[in-house]
Amino acid sequence: MAGRYGRPRSFLRMRSLAGQVFLLQVAIVVLIVAAAVAALVLQSRADSEREARNRSVAVAETFANAPGMEAALRSPDPTAVLQPKAEAARKRSGVDFIVVTNLDRVRYTHPLPDRIGKKFVGDVQPALEGRVVTEQITGTIGPLVQAVVPVFGADGKVIGLVSAGITIQNVSGVTEDQFPLLFGSAAGILLLTMGGTALITRRLKRQTHGLGPTEMTRMYEHHDAVLHSVREGVLIAGGDGRLLLANDEARRLLGLPADVEGRYVAELGLDPEIAGLLDSGRSATDEVHSAGDRLLAVSRRSTDRNGGPPGTVTTLRDTTELQVLTGKAALARGRLKLLYDAGTEIGTALDVVRTCEELAEFATARFADYATVDLAEGVLRGEEPTAVRATTEGLRRSAFSGARDDTGIHPLGSVIRFLPSTEIGAGLLRGDAVLVTDLTRHSGWQQQHPERAEGIVASGIHSFMAVPMRARGVILGVAMFWRAQRPEAFEDEDLSVAEELVARAAVSIDNARRYSREHNVAVTLQRSLLPQGLPDQSAIDAAYRYLPAQAGLGGLGGVGGDWFDIIPLPGARVALVVGDVVGHGLHAAATMGRLRTAVHNFSTLDLPPDELLWHLDELVARIDQDESAEGSEGGGVTGATCLYAIYDPVSGRCSMARAGHLQPVIVGPDGSAAFVDVSGGPPLGLGGMPFETLDVQIPENSRLVLYTDGLVEERHRDIDEGLELLRETLAGHPDRTPEETCEAVLRVLVPARARDDVALLVGRTLRLAAGNVAEWDVPSDPSAVAEVRSQVSRKLAEWGLAEEAFTTELILSELVTNAIRYATGPIRVRLLRDRTLICEVSDRSSTSPHLRQAASMDEGGRGLFLVAQLAERWGTRYTDGGGKVIWTEQVMQPGTNGPV
């Protein structure tokens, strides 16, 4: 490793254990080799000195004991005799000198002749005494070892001395010649040793992962501390099944002796289940086994995975206490899951009865065999509950769930009055739950209804719980749970679960009750604002449908802002209106009512469709401004659309305009269906864009279909697909009545749970018979009035309305006279025989007449007043060409009204 923990390493300062061992081993080898070489050198020197001493002694003794030695010493010139012999012996023996002296240490021989006759240097006293003496001195030829040996005469006395010496250098020269081989061998040994050390170091480095001694020490300390202090038993076995390690916790849990290491696992005397697992060789994860009075969670893994050594490691955890806690946790988890499931399955609809049914069905599916829910009558009606009424009035059984109906339990819909003297009645008064674990003991619960109590016990029901339903501190009713098929009786734990379950259901029931109340208010308001029926008119045969959005999917109770209307207009005409206020709830319904009223008011002015929508747009803009200035929570009228159409049964012409609404559909008498391409103006309240009127000629017996977007727009369907589906549904059925058309359209296009309200208006167009229409052109001459009166009288007699002739003549006389006097252009009179008798006088003037009070002396000013008195209704409408029509309606006598 180059470094560890971010710190670089040098060769001389290796931190890993392998590196330090390598350096230590190299140092040891070097020291050993150096010591060996030093020892060899010292030994060589000692051997050289010993060899020099031995050789010098041997040479001296040999020369001293040589034959003729005594004679040579006693001769007149010993040097002449001994010098040649001494030099010859010196050369043959390899010593450096052989010196013969007399007893006075005077030399007779010497390698250097100039030294003969001089005193011998050295200790000779022992030799004079007859002993051999050796000494190491530094002479003229360097460090040397010399021996002095006495020469004995025939009489045994010392007669002379012989000294032989050799320098140490001459002796050690042989040994020094062997030094290259010695050092080469040492170097080879050193290299071989270092190579072996490097191999061992690499393996050690791989096994220690480059850790340093401190780190390994810390790891060992931590490992040892964890291994012996952790509250989990650890058993490590080798590949041969022998136990290699058992920590303190494993010994405690399994009761193992101290000398357990090294023994076979099968010989430890363990529980058969655990011994079989440890000896099986298979892996295990948290398997629970018994060991005496303990429950152990055993996990076992092989150690030879990923290149590890063969063997297994087994961990043991004492789960005896954990089993108890696990049981409690499982119970709590099951309880939480039950309550969670209850939250998703109870209260799915904002309906009181349906919520009660969901509670009963959920209880019988989870923990009870029978379940009932009883509610106060006021709660079912959506009224605000009170504690007094909930306990004194009878409770109506609103839900029942169970396998059998013949158990003696009160049936669905029955009214139950709980007696305060019974345990259930008293608990209901206090708001406390009641648990009866054994119904067969008749502990007082049977007093409520003894006959039914016998039937309940006979059917096998053995225990029950009664839990009051409380919301916002008021008791709404009571839920009861019964057990028959389940043999175990209800317990306190079951009662606490039932109380939490009922408490949650009570909140849902109270929300549904409050919703029902607000829904009823909203529906009442909406019904008062929508048409209560079809008006009397002869222009169309109409049918309509209004479907509010489903509760919980739309807004407040599904009450929305869609509306429709059929408004009779003068001249036997009729206005068809469909509108939509975006949103749901009371505000949308109230806004719808305001707009519907405005359309009614504007229609009395007999305005064209585009002008009426313009006035309606102005009204919506003012409403928005007023509510924005006042900070109203409603936020004004947002996203209102409208389609307004006027159909004239005399001409068959239909004029229509729309403000952001969908196109109407016309179904011809042949069954063909097509959308009418009416120019689309902006939604009401935006302003800035004009509205355009489209005039179309509609054949008799056609069907004009008006609708809101809730009919064709659906979350899982594109609006274009819905429009095409509507056209296909309408096409191909010319013989359908408006009622049948409404049913067919709703059946195909509206889902079971609509998210938006739907308004549908279908009108079959009728035509006023030509015989019921009479019209004349009147010249602009006062004398023509008499002719008009005469023609009108004849036509009324022809229609069987002679009794109306006088009144009609007076009305027409006044209207035609005014037209001749004040108007310009052609004048035309038209009589229509419909449900009323309609008189119309048209001219080219745009000036509208008005009533005024004539003074007693005024000659004029009473004509229009007279018309208003004689006619049932009268009014003025303007035509497209800039003229006007003054019309009146007269009620015909019974038996004569209606077209022929």
Side-chain angles (χ1 to χ4, degrees):
M1 285 187 179
R4 190 172 181 83
Y5 302 115
R7 295 188 294 270
R9 253 182 223 156
S10 67
F11 179 79
L12 297 178
R13 296 185 61 186
M14 291 186 179
R15 296 186 65 254
S16 67
L17 179 62
Q20 294 186 8
V21 169
F22 175 74
L23 292 179
L24 180 60
Q25 289 180 338
V26 169
I28 292 174
V29 170
V30 170
L31 290 177
I32 291 174
V33 172
V37 172
L40 288 175
V41 171
L42 294 177
Q43 183 66 34
S44 175
R45 289 182 178 179
D47 291 344
S48 297
E49 292 178 358
R50 185 171 54 257
E51 176 66 19
R53 185 178 293 108
N54 293 337
R55 186 183 301 182
S56 61
V57 170
V59 172
E61 288 182 343
T62 301
F63 196 81
N65 296 320
M69 189 62 182
E70 181 178 1
L73 287 175
R74 296 183 184 277
S75 67
D77 189 4
T79 298
V81 178
L82 296 177
Q83 177 67 16
K85 294 181 179 180
E87 284 302 309
R90 178 183 67 81
K91 292 178 181 180
R92 289 195 299 270
S93 63
V95 295
D96 289 311
F97 66 88
I98 297 177
V99 177
V100 180
T101 68
N102 57 17
L103 295 180
D104 294 328
R105 296 189 299 170
V106 177
R107 297 189 186 97
Y108 292 141
T109 63
H110 197 277
L112 299 177
D114 59 344
R115 302 291 177 90
I116 298 174
K118 296 181 180 181
K119 289 283 186 178
F120 175 77
V121 178
D123 184 14
V124 297
Q125 184 60 38
L128 294 175
E129 296 175 356
R131 299 193 304 272
V132 177
V133 59
T134 61
E135 58 181 340
Q136 183 175 351
I137 62 173
T138 301
T140 58
I141 59 175
L144 55 87
V145 175
Q146 65 182 3
V148 180
V149 178
V151 179
F152 294 96
D155 55 0
K157 293 182 180 180
V158 177
I159 61 174
L161 301 175
V162 177
S163 174
I166 187 172
T167 60
I168 296 176
Q169 181 178 2
N170 291 337
V171 178
S172 61
V174 178
T175 304
E176 290 176 356
D177 292 339
Q178 298 177 356
F179 278 176
L181 178 61
L182 175 63
F183 285 115
S185 300
I189 294 172
L190 179 60
L191 291 176
L192 182 62
T193 305
M194 289 181 63
T197 302
L199 293 176
I200 296 173
T201 301
R202 284 189 61 186
R203 181 174 181 84
L204 182 62
K205 182 178 181 179
R206 186 170 58 252
Q207 292 180 345
T208 59
H209 302 284
L211 297 175
T214 303
E215 297 164 346
M216 293 190 66
T217 302
R218 184 166 58 249
M219 287 183 60
Y220 173 78
E221 292 173 350
H222 292 172
H223 170 269
D224 190 67
V226 170
L227 186 64
H228 294 287
S229 62
V230 71
R231 300 297 293 175
E232 184 166 336
V234 178
L235 296 175
I236 300 178
D240 58 353
R242 293 180 181 272
L243 190 62
L244 302 179
L245 183 144
N247 70 343
D248 298 341
E249 183 68 8
R251 297 173 188 272
R252 185 184 70 85
L253 294 176
L254 300 177
L256 299 177
D259 58 345
V260 71
E261 281 84 357
R263 296 171 58 181
Y264 288 101
V265 174
E267 300 175 355
L268 299 179
L270 301 177
D271 185 91
E273 291 186 1
I274 296 180
L277 173 61
L278 297 180
D279 197 41
S280 64
R282 65 181 179 87
S283 298
T285 301
D286 289 338
E287 291 188 6
V288 179
H289 297 275
S290 61
D293 57 350
R294 295 187 178 93
L295 289 176
L296 303 181
V298 183
S299 298
R300 185 176 183 275
R301 294 289 185 275
S302 297
T303 58
D304 56 357
R305 293 182 300 177
N306 301 323
T312 59
V313 58
T314 304
T315 58
L316 312 167
R317 285 185 292 109
D318 190 353
T319 61
T320 306
E321 297 180 359
L322 184 60
Q323 291 296 320
V324 179
L325 297 177
T326 302
K328 294 180 179 179
L331 183 62
R333 185 168 56 252
R335 181 173 178 176
L336 290 176
K337 186 178 186 307
L338 183 142
L339 296 177
Y340 172 79
D341 294 341
T344 59
E345 299 180 24
I346 299 176
T348 59
L350 288 173
D351 183 85
V352 173
V353 175
R354 180 54 193 157
T355 304
C356 295
E357 293 173 349
E358 290 173 345
L359 171 61
E361 293 169 359
F362 182 84
T364 53
R366 298 303 181 97
F367 62 91
D369 296 317
Y370 297 91
T372 60
V373 180
D374 308 323
L375 294 181
E377 294 283 357
V379 175
L380 293 172
R381 294 191 296 266
E383 300 175 359
E384 193 72 23
T386 62
V388 176
R389 294 176 60 185
T391 54
T392 57
E393 294 184 356
L395 302 180
R396 183 170 296 277
R397 181 137 293 173
S398 305
F400 173 87
S401 179
R404 296 169 52 190
D405 297 330
D406 56 348
T407 57
I409 300 176
H410 285 84
L412 188 66
S414 59
V415 177
I416 307 172
R417 290 177 174 83
F418 292 97
L419 301 178
S421 58
T422 63
E423 189 175 6
I424 301 177
L428 184 61
L429 287 173
R430 297 190 308 269
D432 297 334
V434 176
L435 170 63
V436 179
T437 57
D438 188 2
L439 295 178
T440 60
R441 296 174 56 188
H442 296 287
S443 56
W445 66 274
Q446 76 282 357
Q447 298 176 6
Q448 178 69 35
H449 203 298
E451 294 80 6
R452 289 189 176 275
E454 293 297 332
I456 289 173
V457 174
S459 64
I461 299 176
H462 54 81
S463 64
F464 91 103
M465 299 181 294
V467 182
M469 307 190 73
R470 186 194 302 271
R472 295 183 294 114
V474 179
I475 295 177
L476 308 179
V478 61
M480 291 188 286
F481 310 98
W482 318 73
R483 273 187 179 173
Q485 283 78 24
R486 292 176 172 86
E488 62 276 6
F490 285 119
E491 300 176 349
D492 292 336
E493 185 67 25
D494 299 317
L495 183 61
S496 62
V497 172
E499 288 177 330
E500 292 190 30
L501 181 64
V502 172
R504 295 195 177 197
V507 174
S508 299
I509 291 175
D510 189 58
N511 289 337
R513 177 199 62 76
R514 298 172 66 184
Y515 166 79
S516 298
R517 182 185 62 184
E518 304 225 356
H519 173 67
N520 293 336
V521 173
V523 169
T524 301
L525 172 63
Q526 185 190 41
R527 287 177 178 174
S528 66
L529 297 176
L530 286 174
Q532 303 302 310
L534 296 176
D536 293 333
Q537 47 83 32
S538 302
I540 59 172
D541 178 16
Y544 64 90
R545 293 289 187 275
Y546 177 80
L547 299 178
Q550 283 292 325
L553 299 180
L556 181 60
V559 176
D562 291 12
W563 92 91
F564 64 93
D565 225 332
I566 301 177
I567 305 173
L569 296 178
R573 297 168 303 145
V574 66
L576 304 177
V577 188
V578 170
D580 183 7
V581 176
V582 176
H584 297 82
L586 292 175
H587 179 73
T591 302
M592 175 269 292
R594 298 169 74 177
L595 296 183
R596 179 170 178 258
T597 302
V599 172
H600 268 271
N601 292 334
F602 291 140
S603 67
T604 60
L605 302 176
D606 212 347
L607 300 173
D610 57 340
E611 292 187 24
L612 184 141
L613 291 181
W614 181 81
H615 285 288
L616 194 62
D617 180 68
E618 290 289 317
L619 174 64
V620 171
R622 287 196 299 272
I623 293 175
D624 286 342
Q625 292 176 358
D626 294 341
E627 293 192 355
S628 298
E630 296 174 1
S632 173
E633 295 182 0
V637 183
T638 57
T641 64
C642 183
L643 173 65
Y644 188 82
I646 299 176
Y647 173 69
D648 187 352
V650 177
S651 63
R653 191 182 73 165
C654 183
S655 301
M656 57 186 74
R658 65 190 180 101
H661 206 81
L662 296 174
Q663 302 277 15
V665 182
I666 294 181
V667 182
D670 58 350
S672 61
F675 291 98
V676 183
D677 189 14
V678 184
S679 298
L684 299 175
L686 297 182
M689 295 287 291
F691 301 99
E692 296 182 14
T693 297
L694 175 68
D695 293 330
V696 294
Q697 195 71 25
I698 301 180
E700 188 177 5
N701 290 325
S702 298
R703 276 164 294 286
L704 182 61
V705 181
L706 284 70
Y707 54 92
T708 57
D709 58 355
L711 180 68
V712 294
E713 193 171 17
E714 212 268 331
R715 183 173 60 178
H716 302 293
R717 182 180 62 204
D718 187 74
I719 189 170
D720 293 335
E721 297 178 4
L723 291 172
E724 181 60 25
L725 183 60
L726 172 63
R727 191 195 64 78
E728 294 175 355
T729 305
L730 294 173
H733 301 280
D735 54 343
R736 279 179 180 169
T737 65
E739 287 288 341
E740 292 172 345
T741 302
C742 288
E743 289 297 329
V745 169
L746 295 181
R747 182 172 59 253
V748 174
L749 275 85
V750 179
R753 297 178 62 82
R755 301 183 63 87
D756 195 6
D757 43 352
V758 176
L760 175 64
L761 179 60
V762 179
R764 183 172 65 88
T765 58
L766 305 175
R767 295 292 291 271
L768 196 61
N772 293 324
V773 180
E775 48 188 342
W776 304 271
D777 291 327
V778 180
S780 183
D781 185 356
S783 61
V785 176
E787 180 63 24
V788 171
R789 294 176 63 178
S790 175
Q791 292 177 348
V792 168
S793 295
R794 286 195 299 270
K795 177 56 71 173
L796 292 178
E798 181 184 338
W799 285 349
L801 300 176
E803 297 179 359
E804 306 294 334
F806 179 73
T807 302
T808 306
E809 289 177 7
L810 288 178
I811 293 173
L812 287 176
S813 296
E814 181 61 31
L815 295 180
V816 172
T817 300
N818 284 340
I820 294 173
R821 179 178 299 178
Y822 301 109
T824 59
I827 300 173
R828 191 172 184 82
V829 174
R830 187 172 73 165
L831 287 181
L832 302 176
R833 183 191 180 198
D834 193 29
R835 296 178 184 272
T836 60
L837 181 61
I838 303 171
C839 301
E840 296 180 346
V841 177
S842 60
D843 56 52
R844 302 294 295 175
S845 174
S846 60
T847 303
S848 176
H850 62 279
L851 284 173
R852 65 186 180 90
Q853 297 293 331
S856 60
M857 300 301 292
D858 290 343
E859 294 184 1
R862 296 179 179 86
L864 199 57
F865 179 77
L866 181 62
V867 170
Q869 295 298 318
L870 295 176
E872 180 70 18
R873 293 194 307 155
W874 75 279
T876 304
R877 73 174 184 270
Y878 295 94
T879 61
D880 297 337
K884 69 178 181 295
V885 175
I886 302 176
W887 56 269
T888 64
E889 289 186 3
Q890 298 167 243
V891 178
M892 295 182 292
Q893 296 297 326
T896 60
N897 57 335
V900 177

